[in-house]
Amino acid sequence: MKKPPITIGAVAALIAISTGCAATETTSLELPVEQPAATNVFSTASSEKPLPADQVFVPDAHIDDGALFFRIQLLPGYYLYKDKISVRSLSSDVALGDYAFLEDWSQSEAVFDEWFGEQLVYFNEAHGSARVEEHEADARTFDIELSYQGCKKDGICYVPQTKVLSVAIPASLESATDPKE
């Protein structure tokens, strides 16, 4: 003889009878439709999922007065490691000098990182520049590679990011640098 399957209603009735909470009339058992989100290592106090790196770290670049200026904007509560930021030209038409951080525009702060020890980091945004040393006279744009790594304060760290940005070369650049012949 085949036994009938046990249903949630049957289990609830057995529990009610065994605990003395059985009602004289038949009642329906209502289960919540939505369960609270499970927590995991990425959870925060508000159970937010980690944001994609492209939403947290937003880079841009432009040329002004013979120099490439780059910036990485960050959402509040995130930071970038200063020593993990780098920039280079991907174009043979444009040569960049060494880059430097613009501490007058965004100051780095020393923090203790559980993985890397004491580190200089940027909150809110990081600014840097590199001199355009040479360029082809007919070049109108060139690509740069901007690399960086950052973390959420008291949260996750992102893998190193590398972005390729296309930068317009203004006509006024010809008077500011020595074009390649």
Side-chain angles (χ1 to χ4, degrees), residues 71-154:
R71 171 180 66 172
I72 307 167
Q73 297 178 2
L74 295 82
L75 289 178
Y78 292 83
Y79 60 89
L80 287 173
Y81 296 106
K82 182 177 182 176
D83 70 344
K84 306 285 188 217
I85 300 172
S86 65
V87 65
R88 69 183 183 104
S89 173
L90 295 178
S91 173
S92 60
D93 294 342
V94 177
L96 296 176
D98 291 337
Y99 64 90
F101 295 100
L102 302 173
E103 294 286 332
D104 291 343
W105 294 4
S106 56
Q107 292 187 339
S108 57
E109 299 177 29
V111 298
F112 183 80
D113 182 276
E114 127 180 45
W115 302 107
F116 298 120
E118 188 160 323
Q119 293 287 309
L120 292 175
V121 300
Y122 289 102
F123 291 95
N124 302 320
E125 58 188 4
H127 291 266
S129 70
R131 197 96 197 126
V132 177
E133 294 184 341
E134 296 181 358
H135 72 284
E136 290 290 333
D138 60 345
R140 295 292 162 239
T141 64
F142 74 106
D143 290 340
I144 62 166
E145 180 181 88
L146 188 56
S147 300
Y148 47 89
Q149 184 178 13
C151 300
K152 182 173 185 176
K153 191 172 181 181
D154 300 324

Side-chain angles (χ1 to χ4, degrees), residues 40-90:
N40 59 42
V41 295
F42 297 114
S43 296
T44 63
S46 62
S47 297
E48 294 175 6
K49 291 182 180 179
L51 293 172
D54 288 343
Q55 290 180 17
V56 174
F57 311 110
V58 182
D60 63 72
H62 69 278
I63 292 179
D64 189 25
D65 197 25
L68 169 76
F69 290 89
F70 62 89
R71 171 180 66 172
I72 307 167
Q73 297 178 2
L74 295 82
L75 289 178
Y78 292 83
Y79 60 89
L80 287 173
Y81 296 106
K82 182 177 182 176
D83 70 344
K84 306 285 188 217
I85 300 172
S86 65
V87 65
R88 69 183 183 104
S89 173
L90 295 178

